[in-house]
Each structure stands twice: as C-alpha cells, then as structure tokens.
Amino acid sequence: MAPTLPEQPTWALDVLGALDAGILLLDRHCHVLFWNGWMEQASALPARQILGHELFDALPNLRESRLHSAVRDTLATGAPGVLSHTLNPMLFPLRLPDGRRMVHNVVIRPLPPGGEARCLIQVTDVTAAVNRERVLREQRDARHRAIVDTAHDAIITTDTRGMVQWMNGAAARQFDYRPEELIGQSVRTLLGEESPDWLDMAVRNGPGNGGFDAAVQPVELTGRRRDGSTVDLELSMARWESEGRSFITGILRDITERRRAREELRASALAMRQLAEQTKATLDALPAFIAVLDRSGRIVSVNRAWAEAGPETTFLGQGCIVGDNYLEHCGKGYTADPRADAVMDGLRILLDEGAPPVAAEYVTASQHWFRCLAAPMPAGPFGGAVLMHIDVTEIKSMEAALRKLVSQKSTLLREVNHRVKNSLQLVSSLLTLQTLSLPDATVRVHFQDARSRIEAIARVHNRLYQADQFQTIEFGTYLKELCEDLGRASGGDSMCDISVRTDVIDLPIDHAAPLGLIANELITNAVKHRGDGPALVTVTFRREAETLVLTISDRGPGLPANFDIRKSRSLGMRLVSSLAGQIRAEVGIDTTVMGTTFSITLPVPEATPLLETSSTAECEG
C-alpha cells in the first residue's frame, strides 16, 4: 500500500525554506509569492515586508537591470535564465553575516505550465568559491610575475590603444624609466621614430587558442631611452584577452651586440671576398705556374698561367687540369719524368706529414730551368699544399753572366793590388838606394821613415792580393807581419822586442790602411826613442763591445807631462792625429817615467758585403 504524503503546500514550502540557497517565487506581475529564510538573512528584508509586493518596487535599484530583463523574458517566453556574477555585477544587494558583500549567481526557472505564469528564482552563494579562485589566481599571477620580473628581456603590456599597463624591471632598466612614470603613457615613448607601429603589428597577431597568440616572426626596431639615446631591439608580440578586455604584450630583447657582431661579420665576409678576389687576381697576374693541391695530391685550383700553359712550357705537371692527381700525373705512364723524383718525394712527405716547404730546381730537355716551390696549407679548406713552378732560365743566364763579370773583376782587382804592391816596393827600393848615397845621417833617417810608411801601405795591398776577397783584410795577421818586419828592420832582438796580442778582426780597406800607418808610426817611434837598452814594445788589438782598441806600449823614457799630440811639431805625431780623424778614432796617451801607452779607439765599422770569386765551372753553369 502506497505511503500517504502530506499536503503539498506544507511540506514543499518547508523544503524551500530549509535550502542553503535563496528561493523566491514571483507571479506574472513580478509580485513576491514566496521569500525564504535564507533570503531574509542575506537581504535583511523580512518576508512580511516583501510578500505581496512587486519585487522591483521593493528593490528599486534592480529595476531595468539585467535581472529585471531576465525575469520578464522568463515570464513571457517560459525560457530559463542564468545570471553569472562575472558578467552581471549588479544583482541582489546581499551581504554575508560578517557584513561583506556576497558574490552570488542567479538562476531563473519558469514553473510548469498549466496554470498562471510564475517563475522561481534561485540565488546561490559563490563567495567562497570566488575567493578561492581569486587566491589561486593571485598565487599563479605572483609566480608568473616573479618569472617575468626576473627575465633579462624587457616585457611591456599595453591595451589596444597602445597605452602602457605594465612593465617588468628589465624594461625599467633598459629604458631608464620608473614603471609608474610610464603607466598610462603611449608605448611610442619607448620606440624610435622609424620603428613600426605597435598597434599595426599587434593587429596581425590576434588572440588564438587560450586567449594568447605569439608573433610568428620577431621584428627588429630601434628603442629610445630617457636620455634620447637609442638601442637596437628585437620585438616579439602577442595579443591576448582577459575578462572581456584585449591586451598586447611585447618582449623587447637588446640585440645591440648581436647587430654589431652581425655588421662586423658582414664587413669581415666582404673583406674576405675582396681579399679572395684580390688574391686570385694577383695569382693570375704572376708569371709563375701555380696550383693548389688537396691532401691526396689532387689539383683543386690553378692560376691563369697554369690553365693557359702551351706546349712550349715543359714544367713538371704541364697539362694537368683541375681534378687530376698531380702525383700520379708526374710519376706514372707516359708522363713519368725522372727529373720529378726529388720533387715528388718531398711533395709526398709534405702532404702526408706536413713537412717543411719544398724547394728544388730542375732543368728540362729544352734547357729551360724551373724552380719548384711547395708550401703546406693546413688552414685551407682543402688542406694540402700550394705548388709553384717558376721559369728561372733568364735568371740563370743572368747569374752566369754576373758570375763571369765578378770573376773578371776579382782578377782585375787582384792584378791591381799586385801592381800597386810592386810599385810601392819599387818606390821603397829607390828610397833605400837613395838613402845609402846620402852623407847626412839626419836626412837618411827621414828617408828611412818615408820608406817604412810606404812599406806599411804596400803590405795592405799585398794582403788584398793574397786574399779571396778585396773589401776587407784580417787586421790581426797584418799587424803581426808589420811588427815582424819592423823588428827585423830595426836590428832584430838586440834592438827591440815586440810582443803582439790580437783578436781575429776583419777591417775594411779604408780603415785598415790608416790604422796600419798609425801602428807603423807609433812602433817606429817606440824603437827609435828606446833609450839606452833594447826597446820593449807591447801591441794589442781587441774588440770591446762596439769599439776596437789598438794599444801600443813601450818602456822608453816617456813623453813630457804636458805633451799634446794636436800641438806636436813632429811629422809622425801629426800624421797619427790626422789618420785617427779619418777613421773617427780617439787617441789616448798615458805617459810615465817608465814608458808611454798610446790607445787608438774607433767604432766598429759597418759590415761590408763580400765580393767573392767564382770557379770557372760556376761561370759556365
């Protein structure tokens, strides 16, 4: 047997009054037929004050609101209505027990047809859910804001008018503005005059899935700082929507260094192309036959001379073209050439092991001389080596002719020195004969001094005649021979003892002759003014740093204390002073009661290129 239910109005109203939601019932004229306890507490309007009254008379602020329109639509059409708090902020004036505004949603349902038109309005408190959502959103936004604020790139958000709404710390540092200075200002303040329009770029990037759509291609533009200076930027843009509003976010990356590096790279690439073209033009202009080989010996490039070489050019590898293996071409089959053995061996080692450059000369069957040069190219794109064949036939002919001329000149110079030496010896002999016929001893001394000076010069030419080169003589050997001759001419060991210590030093002829005459004068004077016993003379010739020092010491009676060689009336001393000036030498004199020391100090002469003789075979080569 079915249970007996109480009368519907009694229990239905009790249920509606017990619900944790606001329930009110309106007739077709919007008069309130039911107002439950939840609505009484939330609105602070007791039921007795509102029942039977029109809802929008009791709550005049709701008249002509979205709620009013929704109620009329439901009563007229019978269609339910839903009003969310997010889109309809002006709903019932409800409060929480603590006095805060209640966030609520409203659902309007028509009652079942069959009677007079009525509608049921259900009010749901969503304050807690909204607060939770707000806290979660704030936490999420805080995390995102922390990430964005610590980003290295400037990030700026504007509205659809281009007014700045937000900017991160990197943007403030990059443009030297405080965020509060730019909020509400146009973003054009931060862009250069020739930069693309912010809004035009944003239009091309409308909102996509999830309300966010990044720009497909970044744009390079110029930014403008507070002080007016510019900065190169790369802009990535996105347009997005939130709560019915559109925003534009731009990420501005400083690419000043990147652009500078790019410009330097472009300039470097241009310079490299120009250098490559200049190098190729230079190689093409050279008369040498030049090829570039890879590590296997295959030709990867040749210059114009090699490419256009005709049959009259017979250098090793003539006829090879790009793509041929140079080593195989010169070492196999009908192209094999025994002259290539030395060159090929060195070239193989160079390609395999990176050995030092190869240099060799060879002569062809047509008596053409070639010089082959090969150098490694480890840094090139192919590795390998650069190979060069230079026709040196004309150079060889010129060298042979030059060697012949040098040989003739050497013979002529040797003959001249020999004849000068013979002539000086003839003059010396004549003076000797004349000396023997002179009755006056004083006059004979002067003749003997003149003969001694002539013989000193003759010895220089004799040394040049005996040497293989004619610009310099080894002065140490010359000095020893000079002292030996002077010792014999002075009467031997009973009259003088000359000790010589000298380094091996080559002197040019224009230094050797004056210095030899100075040594002759000083040694002759030491022997001549020796006193009672035999003369004890010490001669040294040393190199000291950048100077040469000739020292001549004796144990004679010495010179006066106030002796000045520049004021001396002696022909020998005047000759020493004059010759020293010719070779920029300084004369030092140290005299005591036990002897005198002369020091001749002169700078080391500059090196003179040697003129060497050549053999007959070399001349004919």
Side-chain angles (χ1 to χ4, degrees):
M1 183 176 180
T4 302
L5 296 176
E7 293 183 6
Q8 185 173 357
T10 303
W11 67 263
L13 293 176
D14 291 341
V15 170
L16 293 176
L19 289 175
D20 189 17
I23 301 295
L24 60 153
L25 182 63
L26 304 179
D27 64 10
R28 65 187 182 87
H29 298 294
C30 294
H31 291 96
V32 180
L33 303 177
F34 181 76
W35 186 270
N36 72 344
W38 190 94
M39 286 297 294
E40 287 183 342
Q41 294 177 1
S43 65
L45 286 175
R48 64 177 179 275
Q49 292 183 7
I50 198 168
L51 290 176
H53 295 278
E54 185 182 355
L55 175 64
F56 301 105
D57 287 339
L59 298 173
N61 290 336
L62 297 181
R63 186 176 294 279
E64 301 306 327
S65 67
R66 182 70 184 88
L67 176 64
H68 193 180
S69 300
V71 169
R72 284 201 303 261
D73 291 344
T74 300
L75 292 174
T77 64
V82 178
L83 300 179
S84 169
H85 69 282
T86 57
L87 299 179
N88 302 276
M90 294 182 60
L91 298 175
F92 289 98
L94 306 179
R95 297 284 176 178
L96 294 171
D98 58 5
R100 289 180 296 134
R101 180 179 178 276
M102 179 187 293
V103 182
H104 55 280
N105 293 333
V106 175
V107 178
I108 306 171
R109 294 187 179 91
L111 292 181
E116 186 179 357
R118 291 171 296 175
C119 69
L120 178 70
I121 299 177
Q122 177 182 343
V123 182
T124 306
D125 181 5
V126 295
T127 304
V130 170
N131 287 339
R132 280 196 306 273
E133 182 180 350
R134 178 178 57 79
V135 170
L136 292 174
R137 184 171 60 253
E138 289 177 352
Q139 292 175 348
R140 182 178 65 251
D141 290 346
R143 289 195 299 270
H144 293 167
R145 189 176 296 108
I147 295 173
V148 172
D149 278 340
T150 57
H152 294 291
D153 298 331
I155 302 176
I156 298 175
T157 297
T158 71
D159 59 17
T160 53
R161 299 173 301 162
M163 300 300 174
V164 177
Q165 304 295 310
W166 177 86
M167 62 192 298
N168 69 343
R173 292 188 298 272
Q174 181 166 279
F175 294 101
D176 196 23
Y177 284 99
R178 295 192 304 275
E180 59 269 19
E181 293 180 296
L182 290 177
I183 300 301
Q185 300 296 321
S186 174
V187 73
R188 293 294 306 176
T189 304
L190 305 177
L191 302 181
E193 296 294 336
E194 312 217 343
S195 299
D197 187 80
W198 181 273
L199 300 180
D200 289 344
M201 290 186 289
V203 168
R204 296 195 295 268
N205 300 282
N209 298 331
F212 186 89
D213 185 30
V216 176
Q217 184 66 36
V219 178
E220 292 188 5
L221 46 80
T222 302
R224 182 171 51 198
R225 300 187 179 96
R226 177 196 288 270
D227 59 5
S229 61
T230 59
V231 56
D232 296 325
L233 300 172
E234 180 185 77
L235 171 62
S236 300
M237 297 190 71
R239 185 177 176 184
W240 52 281
E241 292 184 356
S242 176
E243 298 182 359
R245 297 184 62 194
S246 294
F247 298 93
I248 303 168
T249 294
I251 301 176
L252 298 153
R253 175 167 295 173
D254 187 345
I255 59 170
T256 303
E257 287 301 317
R258 184 204 301 175
R259 179 170 289 184
R260 183 186 61 79
R262 187 171 58 198
E263 292 300 325
E264 289 180 354
L265 184 61
R266 184 181 294 114
S268 177
L270 177 61
M272 290 297 292
R273 286 197 300 272
Q274 293 175 343
L275 178 60
E277 294 173 358
Q278 182 179 359
T279 302
K280 185 178 184 305
T282 302
L283 294 179
D284 286 341
L286 291 175
F289 306 99
I290 304 172
V292 177
L293 310 181
D294 63 15
R295 291 185 176 87
S296 65
R298 193 172 302 279
I299 298 177
V300 297
S301 177
V302 297
N303 73 334
R304 180 179 300 173
W306 186 301
E308 298 177 355
E312 69 279 0
T313 55
T314 55
F315 63 91
L316 294 178
Q318 189 272 338
C320 286
I321 60 175
V322 174
D324 289 347
N325 190 299
Y326 181 80
L327 301 177
E328 295 178 357
H329 184 91
C330 294
K332 288 185 177 180
Y334 66 92
T335 59
D337 193 328
R339 300 166 303 154
D341 292 345
V343 176
M344 292 302 105
D345 290 344
L347 189 56
R348 287 189 182 92
I349 296 174
L350 185 148
L351 292 173
D352 294 341
E353 305 176 7
V358 174
E361 289 186 352
Y362 59 90
V363 61
T364 66
S366 58
Q367 297 304 307
H368 273 72
W369 278 90
F370 283 90
R371 179 174 293 130
C372 176
L373 304 174
M377 288 200 316
F382 308 103
V386 58
L387 180 67
M388 181 184 303
H389 293 277
I390 306 172
D391 190 340
V392 294
T393 304
E394 185 176 352
I395 296 176
K396 285 288 185 180
S397 299
M398 294 175 63
E399 287 178 351
L402 182 60
R403 281 194 296 270
K404 187 174 182 180
L405 290 174
V406 170
S407 177
Q408 293 173 353
K409 184 176 181 180
S410 299
T411 303
L412 178 61
L413 287 174
R414 181 176 286 107
E415 183 63 24
V416 168
N417 283 311
H418 182 59
R419 293 189 180 187
V420 170
K421 185 261 299 182
N422 289 342
S423 297
L424 291 175
Q425 285 182 343
L426 178 60
V427 173
S428 176
S429 299
L430 291 175
L431 289 176
T432 301
L433 292 175
Q434 186 66 38
T435 301
L436 296 177
S437 64
L438 294 174
D440 191 342
T442 303
V443 176
R444 285 201 302 272
V445 169
H446 290 308
F447 270 75
Q448 290 172 354
D449 290 344
R451 180 175 59 81
S452 175
R453 293 163 185 155
I454 291 172
E455 288 180 350
I457 298 175
R459 289 189 191 91
V460 173
H461 288 277
N462 187 49
R463 295 294 303 170
L464 291 174
Y465 168 70
Q466 295 173 352
D468 291 333
Q469 45 82 22
F470 310 103
Q471 288 86 1
T472 63
I473 66 171
E474 201 286 292
F475 195 73
T477 303
Y478 166 83
L479 197 58
K480 292 177 181 178
E481 292 179 355
L482 176 65
C483 292
E484 291 175 358
D485 291 346
L486 290 176
R488 286 193 298 269
S490 299
D493 294 342
S494 61
M495 299 299 294
C496 64
D497 180 9
I498 304 175
S499 174
V500 181
R501 295 190 296 274
T502 178
D503 295 339
V504 178
I505 300 174
D506 289 332
L507 281 183
I509 181 63
D510 54 354
H511 283 68
L515 197 60
L517 285 173
I518 291 173
N520 179 79
E521 289 297 327
L522 295 176
I523 296 171
T524 301
N525 282 346
V527 174
K528 184 185 301 183
H529 304 288
R530 61 184 178 275
D532 297 334
L536 300 177
V537 182
T538 301
V539 180
T540 62
F541 186 55
R542 295 281 188 266
R543 176 167 183 163
E544 298 178 359
E546 296 300 320
T547 61
L548 302 176
V549 181
L550 172 65
T551 303
I552 300 174
S553 303
D554 63 55
R555 298 292 183 88
L559 294 171
N562 58 350
F563 178 78
D564 186 349
I565 190 173
R566 292 171 297 180
K567 298 179 180 180
S568 175
R569 300 179 62 83
S570 167
L571 176 62
M573 290 296 102
R574 293 204 305 269
L575 185 61
V576 169
S577 180
S578 175
L579 293 173
Q582 292 181 17
I583 57 176
R584 296 185 300 156
E586 295 181 359
V587 180
I589 304 174
D590 184 11
T591 181
T592 65
V593 295
M594 295 300 295
T596 303
T597 299
F598 284 86
S599 297
I600 312 300
T601 305
L602 67 153
V604 176
E606 295 181 359
T608 304
L610 298 181
L611 182 63
E612 298 181 352
T613 59
S614 303
S615 64
T616 305
E618 289 177 335
C619 295
E620 296 175 355

